[in-house]
Amino acid sequence: MTELAQQRALARHLLDERSAADAMAAYYAQEHAAARTRLFLHYAAGGRVDGVLVRAQTGADLFRPLVMVRAPSPNAAAQLLEAGMQPDRPCYLVMPSELGAVAFRELEITELQLLCQYVLNAHQFKPLINVLVQRAASAGGAPRYEIRAQDRVRALAGINWRSDYFAEVYVQVEQAARGRGWGRAVVAALARELLDAGVQPLYSVAQGNQSSFKLAEALGFVDNGNRELAGFAIRRTE
């Protein structure tokens, strides 16, 4: 068994892969490609693992890894950040909002956002059909839905990550193409495929982004109350 496999086994009890609140961290801790994943563990006094930091290289940013933290206390979170974040090396940090004070003390953070998690259940889904929507595929083969006009992609929806139970969707719409319902249309098509496959769509919306809130709610996504801080972070060396 490799070191990463051993760490994954030790940390498995910390994250519930069937919980929307844990889904992203569980995916990167347990399922993301081994060659692009590092785990750092925190141990309680009795030797049991009670905290984990995940550092994962993703296709979203080739130069800044994704870092996620689960810790039982601010002190444990600080120790994990020191162990898992290389000094002066930037990352994209996502962590529970209740650990925000630790992040502000230990790190320099820019473009900080409070992410609100929306969840879509099959019985809440409000389908939307638009004949302009076309199915495509990302470089890795994941489903992607697009609307093209004048030989350009004007709106698209795809997947950031996908586990056996959840998938986090994203949407991009050209500024000039907004206000036509194209964002809702491509997300609806992607959500339909995921639900048909037995996978529950998740959608993270930055607090204050009213257009994204409206898009999510128009399709039947529901705010589940989960909040996480996200931003570009560097560990202070002094």
Side-chain angles (χ1 to χ4, degrees):
M1 182 181 290
T2 66
E3 180 183 6
L4 178 61
Q6 292 176 332
Q7 291 175 321
R8 282 176 160 170
L10 290 170
R12 190 173 298 277
H13 70 280
L14 297 175
L15 298 163
D16 182 359
E17 61 184 0
R18 294 177 180 269
S19 164
D22 280 347
M24 181 177 176
Y27 166 78
Y28 282 105
Q30 300 292 339
E31 298 183 42
H32 193 57
R36 294 184 287 134
T37 305
R38 291 284 309 277
L39 295 188
F40 300 84
L41 306 181
H42 184 272
Y43 293 85
R48 181 176 172 81
V49 171
D50 65 352
V52 61
L53 180 145
V54 186
R55 192 173 76 209
Q57 202 68 48
T58 73
D61 193 324
L62 298 178
F63 303 101
R64 289 174 292 203
L66 169 70
V67 170
M68 303 193 73
V69 181
R70 290 291 188 272
S73 68
N75 183 57
Q79 292 178 32
L80 286 167
L81 291 171
E82 182 177 0
M85 289 186 61
Q86 300 164 300
D88 300 321
R89 292 287 301 275
C91 73
Y92 186 68
L93 177 71
V94 179
M95 66 191 305
S97 57
E98 58 267 25
L99 295 175
V102 178
F104 299 141
R105 185 180 72 237
E106 302 290 332
L107 310 171
E108 295 178 8
I109 305 176
T110 57
E111 299 183 37
L112 181 67
Q113 296 180 317
L114 181 65
L115 299 180
C116 309
Q117 189 180 63
Y118 276 71
V119 183
L120 181 62
N121 294 316
H123 69 276
Q124 296 165 324
F125 180 48
K126 301 173 184 176
L128 175 64
I129 298 175
N130 186 318
V131 296
L132 297 176
V133 176
Q134 300 177 352
R135 192 186 190 281
S138 67
R144 170 172 148 161
Y145 285 84
E146 304 174 346
I147 292 179
R148 290 177 171 268
Q150 289 81 49
D151 296 324
R152 290 210 315 273
V153 175
R154 300 304 184 95
L156 67 89
I159 296 172
N160 288 324
W161 55 266
R162 177 175 177 170
S163 70
D164 289 340
Y165 305 101
F166 298 97
E168 184 181 72
V169 305
Y170 67 86
V171 59
Q172 299 172 5
V173 182
E174 277 192 354
Q175 183 69 38
R178 294 178 182 175
R180 305 178 188 181
W182 287 0
R184 291 195 303 274
V186 290
V187 172
L190 178 59
R192 176 76 279 164
E193 178 171 335
L194 292 172
L195 289 171
D196 287 346
V199 176
Q200 193 168 15
L202 302 178
Y203 186 38
S204 292
V205 181
Q207 189 177 56
N209 188 338
Q210 293 302 317
S211 61
S212 286
F213 284 131
K214 290 178 181 178
L215 183 155
E217 291 169 355
L219 293 175
F221 282 86
V222 175
D223 184 352
N224 72 347
N226 185 47
R227 298 292 183 267
E228 293 198 289
L229 294 171
F232 298 105
I234 296 177
R235 183 163 68 84
R236 296 190 178 100
T237 56
E238 296 180 358

